[in-house]
Amino acid sequence: MTSLPRQSGILLHPTSLPGPHGSGDLGPAAYHFVDWLVAAGQSLWQVLPLGSVGPGNSPYISPSAFAGNELLIDLSQLRDAGWLTDVDLATVPAFPETRVDYASVRDFRVARLRRAAKRFFGRKNTPEHSAFEAFCSAARDWLDDYALFMALDIAHGGNGRMWQDWPAPLAQRQPVALKEALVKYADEMKFWKFCQWRFHDQWAKLKDYANARHIEIVGDLPIFVAAHSADVWSNPGLFDLDKKGRPRVVAGVPPDYFSATGQRWGNPLYRWSAHAAEGYRWWIERMRQTMKLCDIVRIDHFRGFESFWEIPATAKTAIDGKWRPGPGEAVFVAMRRELGDAQGRLRIIAEDLGIITPEVNALREAIGLPGMRILQFAFDGDANNLYLPHNYDANTVVYTGTHDNDTTLGWWQSLRPSERDHIINYLGGGAEARAEPQWHLIRLASSSVAALCVIPMQDVLGLDSMHRMNQPSLSEGSWEWRFTWKWVDASHAHRLAELARLYGRHRA
């Protein structure tokens, strides 16, 4: 991914959009947001992983690396199709307007999805049934295992039970047990397949709408998958598990900016030798699926391909981990061979934050991927800090902050007066910069040589720490943020469009 055009865009996950059913979705507000991006002169919409949320409501701990988030399905489109009625949507709980109450949202939305599926399957031989069957056939390589996993999880999971706690014949995928389960849970499997059909159809239409208006989608692919997932259950040989199917070691990072004890993510680690033996087929298909959903793929924790932090599964924190070698360039060579463009290139962004060694940089450069630069990490007083714009090269994506950072205003408010003075001195501003620090950081990002510039929506709106999307050191309370259109006025789009024009990032 070289010779990048200069572009700019907004980081906003669809769950953060306004809407009547407790969380943002793929309905009218998503289309309105695309129109707003156009008015703001932007050409990128960056989202978080689009899979179902897992523990702590994190989109990075999904029950499937291939399936979409059923909570993003726009219920009004199901009503328009005749699978829901006005009565089904007439009584809506008093959902909070500016946060997602995931438990209530899940209860409400899944109940309506089940009603819609029941009506859909109750009407035979419609054109929609042919479309459903075609989707199921095209996606069978991951969809069948996912649907069965979800059905079995409802039957045997709950209360923190993992798939390893299911009856042994099912946990071990014994052929007779699986054959019986396919019959017993056929209807439940059809429900989860219906949800995936609707998610993928609605998302494809939204993406087409965006692309037609010169807005590209920047997606997010977590390097690791959840221990409790269809991926690990159906492909145990690809993961470092013990004899009972439980992770022997888990993923995380050592002590860093976000946590003095590091981060113990708990994801199972890969048996990279097994992936190499199959020609990285699982990774190729995972990337293929992700590339269907977006135009550019951000790979989270890219450094794990060079070396990863291995933590004993019995450890409570990440302190006692150790670095182990990753697969290096081989996995990207395999993906490039099947998924690259005519020159063999992949449109991938490497999330190269954290402890980055010369070896990690060499790997990223060998593959030709742009890295990330975060302005909130730039102002430690060292003129050689790689996050300062005067140290960038063009093959870079600059952010004021990411979903893991505080909002820029919240970050600014946490700084000491001397730290603020240093930043103002770098910006060359005065009282005006102190009044609107987020806009001066947005301008700094946009004016940099970095080819791509992405700004969190919270920074555009000038919101404080109460509106932070995620705090990595906390296991609860994140991923809930939403905005309302009442907070957005014409000046926001106008200012962004003017910066895009001034600094050569305007839409094609």
Side-chain angles (χ1 to χ4, degrees), residues 19-56:
H21 300 133
S23 69
D25 56 31
L26 307 182
Y31 288 81
H32 183 56
F33 183 68
V34 170
D35 294 339
W36 181 85
L37 288 171
V38 173
Q42 305 301 293
S43 56
L44 301 172
W45 177 6
Q46 181 167 331
V47 299
L48 303 183
L50 292 167
S52 298
V53 299

Side-chain angles (χ1 to χ4, degrees), residues 330-456:
V331 64
F332 293 94
V333 171
M335 289 191 290
R336 209 158 41 204
R337 187 181 302 118
E338 292 200 29
L339 306 175
D341 63 15
Q343 288 74 44
R345 296 173 298 191
L346 297 168
R347 302 192 73 194
I348 292 176
I349 296 168
E351 187 270 287
D352 55 346
L353 307 178
I355 301 174
I356 302 303
T357 64
E359 292 79 9
V360 177
N361 287 329
L363 175 62
R364 179 181 60 77
E365 291 169 3
I367 303 168
L369 306 182
M372 290 173 53
R373 297 294 179 263
I374 312 301
L375 289 181
Q376 288 187 28
F377 296 160
F379 301 101
D380 61 359
D382 182 358
N384 294 318
N385 185 315
L386 293 178
Y387 295 102
L388 284 169
H390 67 259
N391 293 317
Y392 294 174
D393 60 42
N395 197 34
T396 296
V397 189
V398 60
Y399 299 76
T400 49
T402 74
H403 62 277
D404 284 333
N405 291 96
D406 199 347
T407 67
T408 293
L409 181 59
W411 166 77
W412 175 265
Q413 291 170 343
S414 74
L415 298 175
R416 296 189 299 270
S418 61
E419 293 172 318
R420 295 182 189 179
D421 290 343
H422 170 66
I423 297 169
I424 294 298
N425 193 31
Y426 187 90
L427 293 171
E432 183 182 354
R434 293 181 187 276
E436 285 190 314
Q438 71 279 5
W439 275 104
H440 285 265
L441 269 290
I442 292 171
R443 178 182 287 272
L444 181 62
S446 188
S447 65
S448 76
V449 298
L452 306 185
C453 169
V454 180
I455 308 299

Side-chain angles (χ1 to χ4, degrees), residues 114 147-156 167 170 175-192:
R114 288 191 179 279
L148 183 55
F149 177 87
M150 296 300 289
L152 292 173
D153 195 34
I154 290 173
H156 301 289
L170 292 171
V176 173
L178 290 184
K179 185 176 181 180
E180 292 174 350
L182 289 172
V183 175
K184 183 175 182 179
Y185 301 108
D187 288 343
E188 185 67 14
M189 289 179 64
K190 287 168 62 178
F191 166 70
W192 290 105

Side-chain angles (χ1 to χ4, degrees), residues 191-435:
F191 166 70
W192 290 105
K193 291 182 179 182
F194 170 83
C195 290
Q196 288 306 304
W197 173 51
R198 295 325 306 145
F199 167 84
H200 283 87
D201 183 69
Q202 290 189 7
W203 178 260
K205 288 182 170 63
L206 176 61
K207 182 178 180 296
D208 287 347
Y209 184 87
N211 290 166
R213 287 152 183 81
H214 306 289
I215 303 295
E216 294 188 299
I217 305 296
V218 182
D220 198 328
L221 188 151
I223 184 174
F224 299 117
V225 300
H228 185 62
S229 66
D231 310 290
V232 180
W233 173 65
S234 60
N235 301 282
L238 297 178
F239 299 88
D240 194 344
L241 309 177
D242 63 21
K243 293 180 179 179
K244 295 183 179 180
R246 300 183 186 279
R248 188 183 63 82
V249 287
V250 297
V253 290
D256 62 6
Y257 173 87
F258 294 109
S259 174
T261 59
Q263 299 175 44
R264 184 191 183 280
W265 298 332
N267 309 77
L269 292 170
Y270 296 108
R271 291 181 61 231
W272 282 115
S273 59
H275 287 268
E278 67 161 24
Y280 299 100
R281 175 56 46 193
W282 183 86
W283 270 98
I284 291 169
E285 295 310 318
R286 186 184 182 196
M287 180 60 74
R288 191 192 308 277
Q289 175 70 2
T290 305
M291 291 174 66
K292 290 178 182 177
L293 300 177
C294 52
D295 302 292
I296 303 171
V297 181
R298 170 193 180 271
I299 296 186
D300 190 58
H301 197 61
F302 170 81
R303 75 139 303 135
F305 291 100
E306 193 281 322
S307 57
F308 53 89
W309 192 245
E310 180 185 274
I311 307 166
T314 55
K316 300 297 184 183
T317 72
I319 290 178
D320 295 326
K322 59 183 178 182
W323 290 110
R324 295 292 302 276
E329 191 175 354
V331 64
F332 293 94
V333 171
M335 289 191 290
R336 209 158 41 204
R337 187 181 302 118
E338 292 200 29
L339 306 175
D341 63 15
Q343 288 74 44
R345 296 173 298 191
L346 297 168
R347 302 192 73 194
I348 292 176
I349 296 168
E351 187 270 287
D352 55 346
L353 307 178
I355 301 174
I356 302 303
T357 64
E359 292 79 9
V360 177
N361 287 329
L363 175 62
R364 179 181 60 77
E365 291 169 3
I367 303 168
L369 306 182
M372 290 173 53
R373 297 294 179 263
I374 312 301
L375 289 181
Q376 288 187 28
F377 296 160
F379 301 101
D380 61 359
D382 182 358
N384 294 318
N385 185 315
L386 293 178
Y387 295 102
L388 284 169
H390 67 259
N391 293 317
Y392 294 174
D393 60 42
N395 197 34
T396 296
V397 189
V398 60
Y399 299 76
T400 49
T402 74
H403 62 277
D404 284 333
N405 291 96
D406 199 347
T407 67
T408 293
L409 181 59
W411 166 77
W412 175 265
Q413 291 170 343
S414 74
L415 298 175
R416 296 189 299 270
S418 61
E419 293 172 318
R420 295 182 189 179
D421 290 343
H422 170 66
I423 297 169
I424 294 298
N425 193 31
Y426 187 90
L427 293 171
E432 183 182 354
R434 293 181 187 276

Side-chain angles (χ1 to χ4, degrees), residues 460-481:
V460 176
L461 300 178
L463 301 175
D464 62 19
S465 299
M466 295 293 292
H467 301 269
R468 183 172 182 164
M469 187 62 164
N470 179 46
Q471 192 160 340
S473 59
L474 300 181
S475 60
E476 296 181 356
S478 294
W479 316 109
E480 299 177 353
W481 178 73

